[in-house]
Amino acid sequence: MSALRFPNLPPSEPQGADLLAQERANTTFSIHEVSAFLYGEVYLERQERLLSVIENEPAFDKSNRYFRGRTERFAAALRKDHALVKLSKELQWSPEEYLQAESLIDEAGPFGLHRGMFMPTLASQSTNEQLEKFLKPAQRYEIIGCYAQTELGHGSNVQGIETTATYIPETNQFELHTPYLTASKWWIGGLGKAANHAVVMARLITNGKDYGPHALCVPIRSMEDHTLLPGVMAGDIGPKFGYNTTDNGCMWFDHYRVPHISLLAKYSSVKPGSGEYVKPPNAKLSYGTMVLVRASLVGAARQGMAKAATIATRYSAIRRQFVDKDSPKMLGKDVIETPVLDYSMQQYRLFPIIAAAYACFFTSKDMMRLYHLNMKNMETGDFSLLADVHASSSGLKSLTTTMAASAIEECRRACGGHAPNVTWEGDNYMITQQTGRYLFKSFRELVAKRASGKFSASQINNPTLAYMNTYLENPTLKCPATSASAFHNPELQLAAFGHRASSMVAQIVHALDVEKRTWNSMLVDIYNVSVAHCQLILVQNFILGIRGEMPQPDGIQPTVISAASKEALTDLSDLFAMHTIHKQPGEFLTSGYLDAKQISLLGEAIMDVMEKKVRPNAIGFVDAFAFPDYLLNSAIGAFDGRAYERYTEMATREPLNRTEVVEGYEQYIRPFTNPMGLKGHTLRARI
């Protein structure tokens, strides 16, 4: 129990519950109706039933999750997975019930890949004999497996994996071998400590010919005591960001031989004795498991976005900041601070994420439909969907997981004040209003001075007023560039950024002062103009710094650099300025300074400077940061470039690898895999 005692004080009014109740009262549709539309009544009813069981099971208690170290978290996850399997057997859960319960528990564990990849691979690629030998025991958890495809040197490029499986005709066996360090199996969930079998993707070699990656189901740990089998080396890969409840593992083979039946042979096989290879009807049949995983990840991405959006949106409805003078928020007769969700900028950030979660929901459903349809079709020899499903799942996995990562981070930031740098002093988006107010005030004053007839440009000693004044002197200025090389001119770059920022300021001031738009209605534009202004500052300071023209502290002289160094840094400065423009061309176009043809020329200039100037100096540029290895503390980013060796060595220091058999094996794994070895001990569920 904590020694710190909190005062028993209520929050100030209005209470969050009241604000959310008001929000829900204003809803124009039936919430339950939409839920049922998305999931179905059966799903919703099952969820309530499962919750009544799960919430009362100690192994699924979430209260201490965020306070555990790696070892504690893994032990708890092992206990959780054991309890989940036991409970599903006792209550005779269907696969759908198991999946839904697992989703509610919402924590990866050492048995996750057994169900998620190991068994689906066996189900889709095994002969009837192999189904009996491998799949049925796996379904009973008598064997616990993982899916060993990714290697230290190869991930997405399955065709490039280096682990070999060579057929030995004299003994009718396959010999698994790890020929290089980069061929080490790596990141394999469940491999580190829990699994005793693995589906291993290896290059099939028979009669001296390499037939590329094929799947083999092989034992890796003893069914008696869980020790590694001779010829197999494996362990946990060590610290990582996320998934610390899973024993992501590494594995090496030293001429390790397995029986002929290990090669999953539903579609392709090797004839005993002769070693003759029987090719599959379609070369991509082995991709089935990855298609399932990628299709599932679309749904996982959607769930991640939806959870983050739910948290951020609810919090934004409760969190209050400032009073909107144009449209004050009322609670009864009292004016209250405006809920953050009422600000258009917050809406601009959160509402598209909500929409994206819905979009991914429907796409994920269709991807799973196509996966199952394709698997059904392949059973009858119809492979017409395979290529499309594989390609679609690959692209969607990439897109939606990227969307989710960005969305979750955006939601985190949108909650403001709850990460260093990004959320110090509150939310970055809301604070840009201060920048906007300064810009608009400066612009108004400058316009007034120019109209007074008593203004001289020589009076300006402020860089902000300087670029605004340049714009006001010629608001229809056009970029003179007629070739890609012209964009290397720093004065042209500065003119582009200055004209764009000034044009945006002028438009917003007109909207506020003449059109009488409300401040809240302009928040998106205000944020954008703040970005434009600050990007100009970055570009300008980069250029001046290289020139040695940046203002220096008293008594400090600017450092003089060689022409070669100045040229190299100028290449980086050019790339920064040009890429920033090219990434956000719309505002430069609407300002009138650039046209579409010039944006095209700019793209050519960017590719040219990257290929010819920056690429040759890339390592030099990063070395110039002068970060010592101690500061970086990175296995894959060390100065000496020994990434794979350091990564491997780091894994050897993982505390889980101090023992070969994981703590908890006797209690949670052995009862499934070797119940007869308990030697008279009473098998009891200790959950």
Side-chain angles (χ1 to χ4, degrees), residues 345-567:
M345 189 67 249
Q346 191 80 339
Q347 297 168 8
Y348 182 76
R349 300 166 70 188
L350 294 180
F351 294 177
I353 296 172
I354 298 172
Y358 271 80
C360 288
F361 174 84
F362 293 106
T363 297
S364 68
K365 285 185 69 174
D366 195 54
M367 282 308 304
M368 293 307 299
R369 179 192 67 82
L370 288 171
Y371 166 76
H372 289 295
L373 177 60
N374 176 60
M375 297 302 293
K376 181 180 179 181
N377 288 353
M378 289 196 305
E379 292 292 329
T380 63
D382 180 359
F383 304 103
S384 59
L385 284 176
L386 179 59
D388 183 73
V389 172
H390 177 253
S392 297
S393 65
S394 299
L396 283 167
K397 179 265 182 186
S398 175
L399 173 63
T400 57
T401 54
T402 300
M403 289 169 60
S406 176
I408 291 168
E409 174 63 10
E410 187 66 35
C411 287
R412 185 193 68 81
R413 294 186 182 189
C415 289
H418 293 301
N421 299 333
V422 174
T423 50
W424 273 339
E425 285 193 43
D427 175 69
N428 263 1
Y429 286 84
M430 303 306 287
I431 207 170
T432 59
Q433 295 179 69
Q434 298 175 24
T435 307
R437 288 190 177 95
Y438 165 75
L439 293 174
F440 309 146
K441 179 182 179 181
S442 298
F443 186 82
R444 291 183 182 109
E445 291 176 351
L446 180 59
V447 170
K449 286 181 180 180
R450 288 175 60 89
S452 70
K454 301 178 181 180
F455 173 78
S456 172
S458 62
Q459 299 172 341
I460 296 177
N461 58 4
N462 180 305
T464 298
L465 292 177
Y467 78 73
M468 289 181 179
N469 188 60
T470 299
Y471 169 81
L472 289 171
E473 288 179 347
N474 189 0
T476 60
L477 183 67
K478 304 294 182 184
C479 176
T482 58
S483 66
S485 61
F487 286 98
H488 290 278
N489 182 343
E491 304 306 324
L492 186 152
Q493 296 167 7
L494 290 170
F497 280 88
H499 196 89
R500 167 230 197 177
S502 296
S503 174
M504 295 171 69
V505 170
Q507 291 176 32
I508 295 173
V509 169
H510 183 271
L512 292 171
D513 295 353
V514 178
E515 299 174 10
K516 302 301 181 183
R517 296 275 299 276
T518 66
W519 183 266
N520 187 46
S521 71
M522 298 299 296
L523 282 182
V524 173
D525 301 281
I526 293 167
Y527 168 74
N528 289 335
V529 78
S530 175
V531 170
H533 172 73
C534 293
Q535 287 176 341
L536 169 59
I537 293 173
L538 291 172
V539 171
Q540 181 172 274
N541 287 345
F542 204 161
I543 292 169
L544 294 177
I546 295 170
R547 289 176 177 174
E549 297 175 3
M550 284 284 291
Q552 301 292 322
D554 291 342
I556 303 295
Q557 295 298 317
T559 302
V560 178
I561 59 174
S562 68
S565 296
K566 185 176 288 187
E567 180 181 353

Side-chain angles (χ1 to χ4, degrees), residues 574-595:
D574 287 345
L575 180 60
F576 176 78
M578 293 188 297
H579 180 261
T580 302
I581 297 172
H582 200 259
K583 187 170 64 175
Q584 298 173 285
E587 293 162 356
F588 293 89
L589 290 169
T590 56
S591 75
Y593 185 76
L594 294 174
D595 60 32

Side-chain angles (χ1 to χ4, degrees), residues 46 88 91-100:
R46 183 167 62 222
S88 68
L91 300 179
Q92 297 182 328
W93 281 346
S94 67
E96 292 78 16
E97 288 172 315
Y98 188 97
L99 283 172
Q100 198 164 348

Side-chain angles (χ1 to χ4, degrees), residues 70 73-82 102 107-115 141 144-146 188-196 236 243-248 662 668-669:
R70 171 79 203 285
R73 292 189 69 189
F74 179 77
L78 190 59
R79 179 189 182 210
K80 178 264 296 180
D81 278 5
H82 172 268
E102 190 175 51
E107 185 175 60
F111 294 176
L113 273 292
H114 172 76
R115 182 200 57 78
Y141 283 77
I144 297 171
C146 59
I188 313 303
L191 170 61
K193 289 295 171 181
N196 53 38
D236 190 276
Y243 272 73
N244 284 304
T245 50
T246 297
D247 51 332
N248 292 92
V662 65
Y668 301 120
I669 296 177

Side-chain angles (χ1 to χ4, degrees), residues 6-41:
F6 290 91
N8 186 24
L9 296 173
S12 62
E13 295 292 340
Q15 300 299 305
D18 296 333
L19 290 170
L20 287 182
Q22 185 179 57
E23 295 284 340
R24 289 168 180 139
N26 293 335
T27 302
T28 62
F29 61 88
S30 166
I31 296 173
H32 179 81
E33 181 180 52
V34 173
S35 297
F37 171 69
L38 294 174
Y39 303 107
E41 292 285 2

Side-chain angles (χ1 to χ4, degrees), residues 599-644:
I599 295 296
S600 179
L601 291 173
L602 186 65
E604 295 175 21
I606 292 169
M607 297 306 296
D608 186 72
V609 73
M610 286 195 300
E611 179 182 357
K612 297 180 180 178
K613 300 290 187 177
V614 178
R615 179 61 189 91
N617 291 324
I619 296 300
F621 285 140
V622 297
D623 284 352
F625 288 131
F627 294 135
D629 285 344
Y630 177 79
L631 175 62
L632 293 176
N633 194 30
S634 170
I636 60 176
F639 186 89
D640 64 9
R642 297 177 68 249
Y644 293 130

Side-chain angles (χ1 to χ4, degrees), residues 68-374:
R68 294 174 179 143
R70 171 79 203 285
T71 304
E72 289 180 304
R73 292 189 69 189
F74 179 77
L78 190 59
R79 179 189 182 210
K80 178 264 296 180
D81 278 5
H82 172 268
L84 186 59
V85 174
K86 291 280 292 182
L87 199 59
S88 68
K89 290 182 176 181
E90 292 171 6
L91 300 179
Q92 297 182 328
W93 281 346
S94 67
E96 292 78 16
E97 288 172 315
Y98 188 97
L99 283 172
Q100 198 164 348
E102 190 175 51
S103 178
L104 290 168
I105 296 168
D106 193 27
E107 185 175 60
F111 294 176
L113 273 292
H114 172 76
R115 182 200 57 78
M117 296 186 75
F118 181 72
M119 289 199 290
T121 303
L122 295 177
S124 64
Q125 298 188 40
S126 296
T127 63
N128 289 336
E129 182 183 10
Q130 290 169 329
L131 292 174
E132 290 292 327
K133 183 174 181 60
F134 300 127
L135 181 59
K136 288 189 176 181
Q139 291 170 334
R140 298 189 294 266
Y141 283 77
E142 294 168 3
I143 63 175
I144 297 171
C146 59
Y147 185 82
Q149 175 172 290
T150 300
E151 296 180 350
L152 187 57
H154 291 87
S156 300
N157 180 21
V158 180
Q159 294 301 317
I161 63 174
E162 299 171 314
T163 300
T164 58
T166 304
Y167 180 65
I168 310 298
E170 293 80 6
T171 59
N172 195 30
Q173 293 175 307
F174 292 98
E175 185 176 271
L176 289 165
H177 187 60
T178 305
Y180 312 106
L181 184 63
T182 47
S184 310
K185 294 301 181 182
W186 207 270
W187 278 109
I188 313 303
L191 170 61
K193 289 295 171 181
N196 53 38
H197 278 66
V199 167
V200 178
M201 291 296 289
R203 309 194 70 82
L204 177 62
I205 300 172
T206 181
N207 291 330
K209 185 174 180 180
D210 185 338
Y211 289 94
H214 284 66
L216 297 91
C217 182
V218 303
I220 58 174
R221 288 184 170 94
S222 166
M223 299 297 290
E224 296 295 321
D225 58 11
H226 209 59
T227 56
L228 292 167
L229 296 173
V232 179
M233 296 165 283
D236 190 276
I237 65 170
K240 53 190 183 289
F241 288 108
Y243 272 73
N244 284 304
T245 50
T246 297
D247 51 332
N248 292 92
C250 47
M251 180 164 59
W252 302 263
F253 297 109
D254 183 11
H255 300 283
Y256 175 58
R257 294 194 178 187
V258 295
H260 180 269
I261 197 173
S262 296
L263 178 68
L264 300 184
K266 182 174 183 177
Y267 298 111
S268 61
S269 61
V270 171
K271 291 185 177 180
S274 70
E276 178 185 349
Y277 179 69
V278 179
K279 66 180 182 179
N282 188 297
K284 291 184 172 62
L285 282 170
S286 61
Y287 293 176
T289 301
M290 292 310 300
V291 169
L292 172 60
V293 170
R294 289 166 181 167
S296 299
L297 283 173
V298 176
R302 166 259 163 192
Q303 182 146 322
M305 281 190 282
K307 289 193 295 183
T310 299
I311 294 167
T313 303
R314 288 175 178 167
Y315 180 73
S316 295
I318 296 167
R319 176 75 169 175
R320 291 168 282 131
Q321 291 287 337
F322 308 111
V323 173
D324 186 346
K325 294 180 180 179
D326 294 318
S327 180
K329 185 77 171 182
M330 306 295 294
L331 186 68
K333 297 181 180 180
D334 298 323
V335 175
I336 64 172
E337 287 184 282
T338 303
V340 176
L341 195 61
D342 284 355
Y343 287 106
S344 60
M345 189 67 249
Q346 191 80 339
Q347 297 168 8
Y348 182 76
R349 300 166 70 188
L350 294 180
F351 294 177
I353 296 172
I354 298 172
Y358 271 80
C360 288
F361 174 84
F362 293 106
T363 297
S364 68
K365 285 185 69 174
D366 195 54
M367 282 308 304
M368 293 307 299
R369 179 192 67 82
L370 288 171
Y371 166 76
H372 289 295
L373 177 60
N374 176 60

